[in-house]
Amino acid sequence: AQSVTQPDIHITVSEGASLELRCNYSYGATPYLFWYVQSPGQGLQLLLKYFSGDTLVQGIKGFEAEFKRSQSSFNLRKPSVHWSDAAEYFCAVGGESQGNLIFGKGTKLSVKP
Amino acid sequence: KAGVTQTPRYLIKTRGQQVTLSCSPISGHRSVSWYQQTPGQGLQFLFEYFSETQRNKGNFPGRFSGRQFSNSRSEMNVSTLELGDSALYLCASSPLRGSQETQYFGPGTRLLVL
C-alpha cells in the first residue's frame, strides 16, 4: 500500500537551532517526493521536490531534503530555524503516471524565541 | 501570474444541504485536483480532472462529485451534507498530469456543517 509516515506530530525548536523533520514512505514504483508547508489559514506551498538524480535537494527558504532509498526516507532539514518557519509541514509521495499525491499527517513546527 | 483561486473561502451549511465549491486554476494549467483536509484524516485526495475528464478518484462516497469546464475551471459538489464533511477543501492545479508536474495549491474553502 502507498503511504507516507511523519512520526513527529509536533516539534518545538529554538530560533537559530537546526531542524530535521522525518518522513518515511511506502510506494511500489519509483517515488516522486515532495515537502509542502502550510501556514495557518493558508494553502500549501511547495518547499522542494525529488524526482531523480542527486539525492540531496535544495528548496526555498533555506530548506533541503535527502532521499535515502535504502531507508525509504526523505527527511527535511534546515541549519538555522527562523521564527517565521513556524507552520505545519507535509511530506507527500506521487508517481510518474499518478496525478494525485499521498500526504503524511503533517508535523507542526513551533519556534521558541 | 495569479495563483489558484477558490470561492467561497468560508461556508456554513446545515446537514442535508448541498454545496458547490469553485476553483480557478493558474492560467494555462489544465489539471485540477481536489483534496479534503481534516484534523483527524489529514489531507485526502478527492479527484483529479484533466481536459474536462475525471482521471482519478479517491475513496469518497458518491455524494462527492466534480466537473471541469473547457476553461479548466473546476467545481466540486457535495450533496446531502453530513457533519463529517466539515473540512478545508483544497484545490491544486498543474500544467499537465502526473506527479512530475508541480501542484500549486489554492487557499482552500473552509466548510462548516452544522
Side-chain angles (χ1 to χ4, degrees), chain B residues 3-61:
Chain B
V4 177
T5 57
Q6 293 186 245
T7 56
R9 291 291 311 276
Y10 304 93
L11 207 47
I12 300 175
K13 292 285 188 179
T14 56
R15 277 182 301 174
Q17 287 187 309
Q18 75 161 15
V19 67
T20 299
L21 311 182
S22 181
C23 171
S24 293
I26 292 171
S27 177
H29 286 195
R30 295 168 58 195
S31 177
V32 173
S33 296
W34 289 88
Y35 295 83
Q36 182 197 63
Q37 185 177 24
T38 59
Q41 299 299 316
L43 279 151
Q44 293 185 287
F45 170 71
L46 280 158
F47 19 66
E48 175 201 6
Y49 285 89
F50 181 79
S51 294
E52 301 177 65
T53 303
Q54 188 180 92
R55 303 291 178 159
N56 200 1
K57 189 176 193 301
N59 188 25
F60 278 82

Side-chain angles (χ1 to χ4, degrees), chain A residues 2-4 13 15-16 22-25 32 34 39 49 51-52 57 60 62 78 82 87 96-98 101 113:
Chain A
Q2 302 169 352
S3 66
V4 175
V13 300
E15 191 168 16
R22 296 182 290 165
C23 171
N24 291 97
Y25 68 90
Y32 292 171
F34 306 81
S39 298
K49 59 188 177 185
F51 295 160
S52 64
V57 293
I60 62 171
K78 186 169 184 178
H82 188 261
E96 182 173 356
S97 59
Q98 178 180 323
L101 298 177

Side-chain angles (χ1 to χ4, degrees), chain B residues 42-104:
Chain B
L43 279 151
Q44 293 185 287
F45 170 71
L46 280 158
F47 19 66
E48 175 201 6
Y49 285 89
F50 181 79
S51 294
E52 301 177 65
T53 303
Q54 188 180 92
R55 303 291 178 159
N56 200 1
K57 189 176 193 301
N59 188 25
F60 278 82
R63 301 184 296 107
F64 291 81
S65 63
R67 58 179 176 169
Q68 186 181 34
F69 302 94
S70 59
N71 62 357
S72 295
R73 190 176 70 85
S74 177
E75 289 181 348
M76 65 163 282
N77 184 277
V78 187
S79 63
T80 320
L81 284 165
E82 300 177 0
L83 296 180
D85 297 332
S86 295
L88 180 66
Y89 290 87
L90 292 165
C91 164
S93 77
S94 59
L96 297 171
R97 292 197 70 216
S99 293
Q100 71 275 19
E101 299 283 334
T102 297
Q103 294 195 17
Y104 295 87

